[in-house]
């Protein structure tokens, strides 16, 4: 017999039902679900309406079959309170209005006698707790309790409670299941886990038995292991720590000895071992190899000498625990909980911790089983090294500098710039983010130390942070004062005691020091760098102007080239620019790259990919007082009108090492401020100027504004009174034109009939332009033909060659020959098919004529243009033909004339491509394009 006690609370009586003067209302009744062979305490609260004040009344509670009131000395009552309408108690067991209690009907009825003669006619509440014994049932039974209130004057009022269900819990009806500590029902349990059996008969005794043998699915032999009592919820918690690998079940009421009612227990195998015997304090991915037959579980990890915070930092990259277990559940024991694996590794990051070099013994205990292991590891001091890729990095002041730091045993370092002697100091934190063992970053020397210093550092593939203190750097003054960033340390009276920059960082040698990030000042306000790893020099030199050169490129948008390297593949040096082509102005000058980068917002590593020309226009604006003048002006100004100029806002600017390229589209009507036409010439001048008396000076803001000059127009990097640095050139705009070789006296181009007939000529259209050469028969020719070479190319010297299969025509056929760019005809001329074209190669035989020194057409041969015809050259065979021999005076030059094939077109723009461009600049720098300094 099991006694189940139910907590009882006070229930206030509701208002009397006025429509039912003799009513009986049930206010509370519970519980309603009980088990056979148990004793249950019920709460039963009722209200009787309009109880009269004369005589003795009887309140009867009748139980269903299979239930009797518990003989506890009070006829089944455990508590009783009778209250009037005002909520005042007027009686209880054996006192007040309660004159007696009794049982009847073999204990199934409880009778309570009440005397209300001292009360007025009113509602009364009867709040009782009753103890009921429920006998065995063969199946679940449901029935109500029946209630009657017999008023001595007005008669009987009755009511039924809700049904009470008596459950049949006879053996065989138990559905036992075995759960782990998170409520799952795994197929296998491991020694040491708590196994909870559920679904048992509450209060019954059960025996844990190990299975010795099965007969089919029935347990035929077993061994006693221990006794357990089911709690009021029908559950038993089984301690498996002392059990061996086997199947187990609970024997007792309701549990059949069958395979489905057993659980399997095994011993968890577990091992843990560090992948290496030793790691240094900078190791970021040390591995602990764990092995078990269990797939996923939790591990308590601890180590002598390490507290929880150190363990938390060490295993910050490890997977957290599973099953809802908190990682810090055992924090008070200096244990961290991480996930374990069947066959995998736990990652430990020593670089996140401040633990000392030593040998550490780590203990690994499976969270819910008896399995454990230990593993020791030797931790050594990290041999961190950082070295600059270049001992000296040289750049013009004002440009963008690229710095690379090579790292070993670390993925980060601190780099300081400047220090004593240069009036500037800053520190950045750099980190290798692409795992190539180096950190590469850019410095905008124009903006460092200004209000734009946050933009002065960037990296395309790695991490650079101007707030080094936020990444762990420390700054300490001579008296121990702690500064919260490099700027405060630089200006602090106990720091380096430097002033704000007076102007952009000037030419000079700036120390670059890689270190572990601890900076201080001595009593002389000199910089002290602790744990220095490497030192390099950033050598900023005074910007120069070394030349201006013009080039042409095939027609396209100004930003068509992906970067400066792609642009230079398209350009050909020339002072003549065919309209519709791109004009490219190469300025060999430095010192402005940082300004344009900051003004445009372009990433520092992407300036070679092209910047909108408006930002160059901002720099060279006369009102900007930056001392940079860039003029592209027409030499043919109209009276009373300013000369036409290049509109830089319509250009794209590409930066290269120590130079930049301005790309303009001559087909765009907005490119020049005035209308343009064939023959227009322009002078190009680029210069840096300095004021005679005052030099560039920042405003008084702290930090100073990066692009404000308080003094007259002056270049930021030149002293007052310095010479002007300048370079100049010129170019001429021309209509597109082309001419064909092999033109006869009738202004007709002769074209040979051949499967590979060669058609050649010269054009001012930019080399690299897509062109075509087309030969079309005249209307009277039969059969008609149209022949086109779409693959014709313009060579770097302006010559072109097309090949056509002219065998569709016949000797004597007349045709029209066209040179086309896109769908436009640049040149159109009459053509005639001939048996063979004299290509002038026989003219080379003129060397034989030299032997006679008497009459080659030396002058004609020397004339390049006629030489290409080869027509006069063919007369060389008739050298004795004295008509032209009068020109023999120049015949000594005939040797050059024989090279007419190359020299015949002595175009002034014959130096093509950027490779040749560099050679040309080197050759003529001293003469035409050298930097000039004038007062």
């Amino acid at each position: 017999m099991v006694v189940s006690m139910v907590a009882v609370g006070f229930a206030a009586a509701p208002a009397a039902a006025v429509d039912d003067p003799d009513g009986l209302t049930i206010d509370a009744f519970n519980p309603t679900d009980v088990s056979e062979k148990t004793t249950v305490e019920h709460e039963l609260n009722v209200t009787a309406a309009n109880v009269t004040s004369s005589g003795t009344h009887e309140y009867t509670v009748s139980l269903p079959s299979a239930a009797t009131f518990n003989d506890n000395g009070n006829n089944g009552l455990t508590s009783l309170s009778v209250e009037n309408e005002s909520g005042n108690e007027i009686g209880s067991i054996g006192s007040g209005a309660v004159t007696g209690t009794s049982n009847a009907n073999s204990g199934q009825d409880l009778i309570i006698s009440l005397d209300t003669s001292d009360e007025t006619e009113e509602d009364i509440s009867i709040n009782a707790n009753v103890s009921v014994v429920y006998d065995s049932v063969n199946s679940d039974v449901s029935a109500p309790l029946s209630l009657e209130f017999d008023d001595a004057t007005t008669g009987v009022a009755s009511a039924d409670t809700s049904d009470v269900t008596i459950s049949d819990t006879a053996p065989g009806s138990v559905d036992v299941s075995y759960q782990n500590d998170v409520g799952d029902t795994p197929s296998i349990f491991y020694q040491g886990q708590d196994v909870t059996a559920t679904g048992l008969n509450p209060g019954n005794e059960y025996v844990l038995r190990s299975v010795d043998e099965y007969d089919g699915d029935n347990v035929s032999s077993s061994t006693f292991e221990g006794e357990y009592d089911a709690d009021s919820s029908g559950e038993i918690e089984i301690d498996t720590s002392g059990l061996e690998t086997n199947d187990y079940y609970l024997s007792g009421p309701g549990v059949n000895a069958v395979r489905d009612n057993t659980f399997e227990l095994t011993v968890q195998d577990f091992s843990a071992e560090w992948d290496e015997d030793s790691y240094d304090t900078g190791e970021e991915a040390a591995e602990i190899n764990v092995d078990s037959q269990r797939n996923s579980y939790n591990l308590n990890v601890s180590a002598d000498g390490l507290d929880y915070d150190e363990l938390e930092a060490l295993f910050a990259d490890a997977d957290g625990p599973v099953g809802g277990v908190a990682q810090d559940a055992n924090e008070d024991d200096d244990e961290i909980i991480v996930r374990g694996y069947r066959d995998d590794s736990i990652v430990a990051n020593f670089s996140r911790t401040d633990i000392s070099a030593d040998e550490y013994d780590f203990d690994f205990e499976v969270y819910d089983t008896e399995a454990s292991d230990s593993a020791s590891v030797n931790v050594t001091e990290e041999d961190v090294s950082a070295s600059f890729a270049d001992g000296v990095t040289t750049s013009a002041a004002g440009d963008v500098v690229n710095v690379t730091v090579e790292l070993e045993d670390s993925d980060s370092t601190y780099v300081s710039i400047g220090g004593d002697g240069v009036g500037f100091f800053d520190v950045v934190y750099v980190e290798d983010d692409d795992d190539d063992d180096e950190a590469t970053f850019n410095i905008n020397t124009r903006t460092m130390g200004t209000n734009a210093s946050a933009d002065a550092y960037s990296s395309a593939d790695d991490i650079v942070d101007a707030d080094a203190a936020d990444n762990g750097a420390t700054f300490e003054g001579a008296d121990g004062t702690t500064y919260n960033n490099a700027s405060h340390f630089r200006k602090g009276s106990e720091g380096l005691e430097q002033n704000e920059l007076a102007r952009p960082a000037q030419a000079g040698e700036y120390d670059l020091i890689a270190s572990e990030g601890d900076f201080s000042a001595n009593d002389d306000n000199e910089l002290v760098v602790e744990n220095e790893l490497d030192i390099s020099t950033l050598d900023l030199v005074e910007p120069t102007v070394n030349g201006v050169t013009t080039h042409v490129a095939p027609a396209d948008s100004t930003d068509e080239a992906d970067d400066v390297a792609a642009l230079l593949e398209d350009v050909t040096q020339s002072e003549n620019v065919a309209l519709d082509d791109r004009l490219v102005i190469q300025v060999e000058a430095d010192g402005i790259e940082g300004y344009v980068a900051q003004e445009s917002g372009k990433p520092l590593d992407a300036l070679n990919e092209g910047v909108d020309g408006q930002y160059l226009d901002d720099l060279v604006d006369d009102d900007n007082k930056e001392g940079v003048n860039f003029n592209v002006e027409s030499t043919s100004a109209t009276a009373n009108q300013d000369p036409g100029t290049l509109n830089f806002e319509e250009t794209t600017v590409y930066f290269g090492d120590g130079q930049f390229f301005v790309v303009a589209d001559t087909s765009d009507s907005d490119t020049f401020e005035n209308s343009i036409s064939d023959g227009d010439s322009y002078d190009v001048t680029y210069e840096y100027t300095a004021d005679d008396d005052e030099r560039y000076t920042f405003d008084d803001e702290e930090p100073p504004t990066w692009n404000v000059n308080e003094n007259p127009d002056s270049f930021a990097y030149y002293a007052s009174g310095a010479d002007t640095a300048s370079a100049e050139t010129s170019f001429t705009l021309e209509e597109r034109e082309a001419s064909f070789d092999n033109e006869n006296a009738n202004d007709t181009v002769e074209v040979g009939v051949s499967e590979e007939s060669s058609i050649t000529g010269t054009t001012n259209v930019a080399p690299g332009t897509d062109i075509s050469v087309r030969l079309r028969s005249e209307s009277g020719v039969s059969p008609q033909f149209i022949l086109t070479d779409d693959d014709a190319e313009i060579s770097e010297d302006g010559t072109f060659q097309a090949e056509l299969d002219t065998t569709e025509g016949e000797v004597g056929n007349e045709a029209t020959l066209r040179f086309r760019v896109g769908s436009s005809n640049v040149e159109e001329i009459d053509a005639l098919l001939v048996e063979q074209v004299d290509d002038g190669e026989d003219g080379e035989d003129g060397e034989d004529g030299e032997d006679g020194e008497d009459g080659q057409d030396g002058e004609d041969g020397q004339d390049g243009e006629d030489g290409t015809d080869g027509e006069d050259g063919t007369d060389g065979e008739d050298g004795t033909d004295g008509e032209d021999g009068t020109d023999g005076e120049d015949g000594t030059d005939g040797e050059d004339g024989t090279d007419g094939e190359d020299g015949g077109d002595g175009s002034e723009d014959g130096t093509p491509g950027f490779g040749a461009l560099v050679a040309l600049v080197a050759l003529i720098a001293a003469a035409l394009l050298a930097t000039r300094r004038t007062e």
Side-chain angles (χ1 to χ4, degrees), residues 429-606:
Y429 167 83
V430 296
E431 181 178 328
D432 173 20
D433 197 41
D434 58 0
D435 298 326
D436 61 353
D437 297 325
E438 62 183 32
T440 299
F441 64 102
N442 296 294
I443 305 174
N444 187 342
T445 63
R446 172 62 194 243
T447 60
M448 60 184 191
T450 70
N451 68 329
S453 61
D455 301 326
Y457 311 98
S458 72
S459 178
D461 301 314
D462 297 310
I463 295 170
V464 58
D465 193 340
D467 191 351
D470 192 49
N471 290 276
T474 61
F475 303 92
E476 184 176 311
D479 63 349
T481 300
T482 299
Y483 295 95
N484 58 13
N485 59 46
S487 177
H488 292 167
F489 173 68
R490 174 170 68 86
K491 295 179 289 186
S493 60
E494 295 297 328
L496 302 183
E497 204 174 18
Q498 296 177 355
N499 297 322
E500 293 284 6
L501 292 182
R503 54 193 56 85
Q506 296 294 294
E509 294 185 352
Y510 295 73
D511 286 343
L512 297 177
I513 301 177
S515 73
E516 295 183 7
D518 298 315
F519 304 91
S520 61
N522 62 21
D523 292 337
D524 295 326
N525 300 109
E526 295 171 334
L527 176 66
V528 177
V529 182
E530 303 289 343
N531 301 312
E532 182 179 304
L533 301 175
D534 194 24
I535 185 169
S536 175
T537 299
L538 172 58
D539 185 13
L540 295 184
V541 298
E542 185 178 274
T544 60
V545 180
N546 292 319
V548 181
T549 309
T550 58
H551 310 268
V552 293
D556 217 323
S557 59
T558 62
D559 60 354
E560 170 62 20
D562 291 335
D563 53 33
V564 69
L567 174 67
L568 297 183
E569 291 178 358
D570 290 341
V571 302
T572 301
Q573 182 183 336
S574 176
E575 294 179 0
N576 298 312
V577 182
L579 291 173
D580 292 342
D581 285 346
R582 282 177 289 170
L583 162 68
V584 180
I585 303 175
Q586 175 194 10
V587 181
E588 293 177 88
D590 43 27
I592 69 166
E593 189 177 28
Y595 183 101
V596 175
Q598 181 63 27
E599 190 76 10
S600 66
K602 192 81 170 180
L604 300 182
D605 62 308

Side-chain angles (χ1 to χ4, degrees), residues 844-878:
E844 293 178 4
D845 294 335
E847 282 189 30
D848 296 332
E850 281 183 87
D851 296 338
E853 285 187 11
D854 52 2
Q856 291 102 329
D857 295 336
E859 189 169 359
D860 292 5
Q862 189 263 345
D863 180 10
E865 275 186 21
D866 294 333
T868 59
D869 283 341
E871 286 183 11
D872 293 327
T874 58
D875 295 338
E877 290 182 22
D878 304 321

Side-chain angles (χ1 to χ4, degrees), residues 643-667:
T645 60
L646 177 65
N647 183 2
F648 290 111
E649 291 186 349
E650 298 299 321
T651 67
T652 299
V653 182
Y654 293 83
F655 283 90
D657 292 336
Q659 59 188 338
F660 62 92
F661 299 83
V662 180
V663 182
D665 178 7
T666 62
S667 70

Side-chain angles (χ1 to χ4, degrees), residues 286-302:
E287 293 185 348
I288 304 160
N289 300 319
V290 296
D291 185 76
S292 177
Q293 80 275 45
R294 190 175 175 187
N295 190 47
S296 181
Y297 49 95
N298 294 322
L299 285 171
N300 294 327
V301 184
S302 62

Side-chain angles (χ1 to χ4, degrees), residues 293-512:
Q293 80 275 45
R294 190 175 175 187
N295 190 47
S296 181
Y297 49 95
N298 294 322
L299 285 171
N300 294 327
V301 184
S302 62
D304 289 339
L306 299 184
D307 61 23
Y308 177 80
D309 290 338
E310 290 169 320
L311 291 169
E312 184 179 38
L314 181 62
F315 291 104
D317 298 330
D319 289 337
V322 295
V325 176
Q327 189 170 52
D328 59 357
N330 295 336
E331 178 179 359
D332 293 343
D333 297 327
D334 288 330
E335 295 179 344
I336 190 170
I337 303 175
V338 298
R339 179 187 172 183
Y341 306 93
R342 185 176 63 82
D343 182 16
D344 209 336
S345 298
I346 299 169
V347 177
N349 188 339
F350 286 100
S351 71
R352 291 181 178 271
T353 71
D354 293 324
I355 66 176
S356 303
D358 204 345
E359 185 170 356
Y360 293 89
D361 293 324
F362 282 80
D363 293 323
F364 303 90
E365 299 176 350
V366 179
Y367 181 77
D368 58 357
T369 75
E370 300 294 301
S372 65
D373 199 3
S374 61
S376 62
V377 65
N378 188 39
V379 180
T380 62
E381 288 292 344
E382 181 183 20
D383 185 19
V384 174
S385 69
S387 58
F388 291 97
D390 299 305
V392 177
T393 299
T394 303
S395 174
D399 278 351
V400 174
V401 180
N402 182 268
V403 178
T404 295
V405 185
E406 297 168 347
L407 302 168
E408 184 175 347
D409 283 339
S410 177
D411 65 354
S412 64
T413 191
Y414 300 88
V415 176
S416 61
I417 303 104
D420 306 322
V422 291
F424 175 76
F425 174 76
D426 202 1
V427 180
V428 294
Y429 167 83
V430 296
E431 181 178 328
D432 173 20
D433 197 41
D434 58 0
D435 298 326
D436 61 353
D437 297 325
E438 62 183 32
T440 299
F441 64 102
N442 296 294
I443 305 174
N444 187 342
T445 63
R446 172 62 194 243
T447 60
M448 60 184 191
T450 70
N451 68 329
S453 61
D455 301 326
Y457 311 98
S458 72
S459 178
D461 301 314
D462 297 310
I463 295 170
V464 58
D465 193 340
D467 191 351
D470 192 49
N471 290 276
T474 61
F475 303 92
E476 184 176 311
D479 63 349
T481 300
T482 299
Y483 295 95
N484 58 13
N485 59 46
S487 177
H488 292 167
F489 173 68
R490 174 170 68 86
K491 295 179 289 186
S493 60
E494 295 297 328
L496 302 183
E497 204 174 18
Q498 296 177 355
N499 297 322
E500 293 284 6
L501 292 182
R503 54 193 56 85
Q506 296 294 294
E509 294 185 352
Y510 295 73
D511 286 343
L512 297 177

Side-chain angles (χ1 to χ4, degrees), residues 170-233:
S173 63
V174 168
D175 184 16
V176 66
S177 66
Y178 301 98
Q179 300 177 353
N180 59 20
D181 55 0
V182 294
D184 295 333
T185 55
S187 58
I188 297 176
F189 290 89
Y190 293 91
Q191 182 190 62
Q193 285 186 302
D194 290 331
V195 178
T196 301
T198 65
L200 303 171
N201 289 323
N204 285 352
E205 182 179 278
Y206 292 86
V207 173
L208 179 67
R209 304 187 68 85
S210 58
V211 176
D212 295 330
E213 189 175 349
Y214 287 104
D215 182 8
D217 285 334
N218 296 317
V219 177
S220 59
S221 176
S222 62
T223 300
F224 171 83
E225 298 290 348
E227 294 180 334
Y228 294 89
D229 289 331
D231 63 17
S232 60
S233 299

Side-chain angles (χ1 to χ4, degrees), residues 642-761:
D642 289 332
T645 60
L646 177 65
N647 183 2
F648 290 111
E649 291 186 349
E650 298 299 321
T651 67
T652 299
V653 182
Y654 293 83
F655 283 90
D657 292 336
Q659 59 188 338
F660 62 92
F661 299 83
V662 180
V663 182
D665 178 7
T666 62
S667 70
D668 187 339
S669 61
D670 294 327
T671 297
F672 293 90
E673 297 292 350
N674 60 323
S675 61
I676 56 177
S677 60
D678 180 38
D680 287 348
S681 294
Y682 286 80
D683 287 336
V684 182
T685 304
Y686 185 85
E687 63 181 6
Y688 296 147
T689 64
D691 185 71
D692 289 338
D693 301 314
E694 297 183 89
R695 67 181 305 181
Y696 192 107
T697 302
F698 277 144
D699 57 22
D700 294 330
E701 297 294 323
E702 294 187 7
T705 307
W706 74 275
N707 60 345
V708 173
N709 176 17
E710 295 287 356
N711 287 333
D713 189 23
S714 187
F715 189 50
Y717 306 99
Y718 285 0
S720 58
D723 293 343
T724 295
S726 67
E728 61 186 29
T729 189
S730 62
F731 65 89
T732 301
L733 299 177
E734 300 176 337
E735 289 289 351
R736 283 179 168 175
E737 59 184 30
S739 63
F740 290 94
D741 297 335
N742 301 321
E743 186 175 340
N744 63 24
N746 297 321
D747 298 328
T748 299
V749 175
E750 295 182 351
V751 178
V753 177
S754 168
E755 292 181 353
E756 296 180 350
S757 181
S758 177
I759 300 174
T760 60

Side-chain angles (χ1 to χ4, degrees), residues 29-34 40 42 134 141-143 161-166:
F29 174 63
N30 59 78
T32 57
D33 292 314
V34 299
V40 178
H42 292 275
Y134 291 95
V141 175
S142 297
T161 67
S162 55
D163 285 350
V164 175
T165 298
I166 307 170

